[in-house]
Amino acid sequence: GAPGGGGVGIVFVHDATSGLFYVNCMVRDGPAHRSGQVQQGDILRAVDGVDVSLASRAAPARSPLVGLHGSIADLSFERGAERRPFSVALQRHASCHPDQIALPPP
């Protein structure tokens, strides 16, 4: 059958004011956690070259990271006060499906 959905094991907080997605936490032993390249507080800018602020307006409750199990997610992040850009390629995994958007703190 067709492969099911997969995620990269990142829980984001969506800041409604800025529209930014911040890494809140990672699923233990998920693709992002195992990569060692993603840190809490990193800002997700794009997935597979698509700006997540555009994607989130189209489907606000859905994580931009959801895709097919085994597919590669090419993630563009910014880190720190200087918003240093970097990118990480992670293979989506069914154990982390679906990736969640955490609710921002009240």
Side-chain angles (χ1 to χ4, degrees):
V8 298
I10 300 174
V11 178
F12 290 99
V13 172
H14 183 226
D15 182 330
T17 311
S18 63
L20 297 174
F21 286 90
Y22 291 91
V23 175
N24 183 40
C25 59
M26 281 169 275
V27 176
R28 186 173 171 78
D29 295 328
H33 181 250
R34 281 202 310 268
S35 78
Q37 296 183 76
V38 182
Q39 294 177 13
Q40 187 172 10
D42 286 348
I43 300 168
L44 180 68
R45 299 302 314 194
V47 178
D48 298 330
V50 178
D51 185 321
V52 292
S53 62
L54 301 174
S56 68
R57 279 200 284 278
R62 186 189 148 122
S63 172
L65 297 185
V66 171
L68 292 176
H69 172 71
S71 64
I72 299 295
D74 187 21
L75 310 180
S76 301
F77 288 99
E78 292 174 352
R79 175 171 297 162
E82 67 280 6
R83 306 275 289 264
R84 191 172 74 256
F86 68 102
S87 54
V88 181
L90 298 173
Q91 189 171 31
R92 295 180 177 100
H93 197 275
S95 68
C96 295
H97 178 75
D99 279 311
Q100 301 294 321
I101 304 285
L103 292 173

